[in-house]
Amino acid sequence: LAGDQAYKAFTEVVADTLAKGTASAVAPSQWVPDGTQWEAPELTAFVNILKANSSVAPIVDVATIIVTTDPAAVGKDADKLLLPKTNSVKLEVVVANIGNVAQKHVTITASLQQPGGLPDIAQNFVDLDPGQRQALRVRGLKAVPGDAILTVTIGPLPGETSVVDNTKTIQLSIHA
């Protein structure tokens, strides 16, 4: 009953204010576009989080959402990202816990493999609450001019049944 009365009072105030002029009745909205929230990786993670949170059964599932390089790609040739001349590739990685169980000390492994050499590998660790996304920086991986394969993997975790979204693999071409 109190809720109904409060809502009735609210609607009366809004109606009176609207009659006097819309500008003072409703605060102006401000659109802050962030197109990355609607791209496939983010949207997929969001839908999976909603699914996991609707279940009472424990769901263990983590994912690598986005991987960006520093220096940034200056172009693309088929499936390869073209990087400018550099001796190291730093990464910004967004990972997510799309399950409904908190995860502690989850391993994120980044590897840069170039022909004829051993891969340069870096590891980070994160704690993730259910539904949480976290961005992290990965130290520079040693790079030489030529083609390379960058792989970033979170987990896999014990009890995780779907690992298809744990790894992102990106082909690079580093300019000489």
Side-chain angles (χ1 to χ4, degrees):
L1 182 63
D4 290 341
Q5 290 173 342
Y7 183 74
K8 182 180 178 198
F10 168 76
T11 58
E12 289 171 356
V13 168
V14 169
D16 288 345
T17 308
L18 282 172
K20 295 175 186 171
T22 306
S24 63
V26 180
S29 63
Q30 183 178 4
W31 178 256
V32 182
D34 183 1
T36 60
Q37 290 182 343
W38 302 109
E39 292 176 359
E42 283 286 339
L43 202 51
T44 300
F46 178 69
V47 169
N48 288 335
I49 289 166
L50 290 177
K51 285 182 192 175
N53 287 330
S54 68
S55 174
V56 293
I59 297 173
V60 177
D61 197 3
V62 291
T64 302
I65 307 298
I66 299 171
V67 177
T68 57
T69 61
D70 179 11
V74 294
K76 195 169 183 178
D77 181 15
D79 289 336
K80 290 182 186 176
L81 292 181
L82 305 176
L83 297 186
K85 183 177 181 177
T86 184
N87 58 6
S88 84
V89 178
K90 297 175 188 160
L91 306 174
E92 182 159 318
V93 179
V94 178
V95 295
N97 179 354
I98 56 178
N100 61 7
V101 178
Q103 301 298 329
K104 302 294 181 198
H105 206 67
V106 181
T107 305
I108 292 95
T109 304
S111 167
L112 186 63
Q113 175 68 58
Q114 296 189 273
L118 295 173
D120 191 13
I121 298 172
Q123 286 189 325
N124 286 33
F125 302 92
V126 294
D127 295 336
L128 296 167
D129 290 327
Q132 180 184 1
R133 289 178 184 84
Q134 184 169 333
L136 57 126
R137 303 252 329 141
V138 176
R139 71 161 175 85
L141 298 169
K142 183 181 174 195
V144 295
D147 291 340
I149 297 175
L150 173 65
T151 306
V152 178
T153 302
I154 184 170
L157 302 175
E160 188 172 10
T161 57
S162 174
V163 295
V164 69
D165 55 0
N166 287 31
T167 300
K168 293 277 186 203
T169 302
I170 304 169
Q171 294 183 22
L172 304 176
S173 181
I174 301 167
H175 192 270

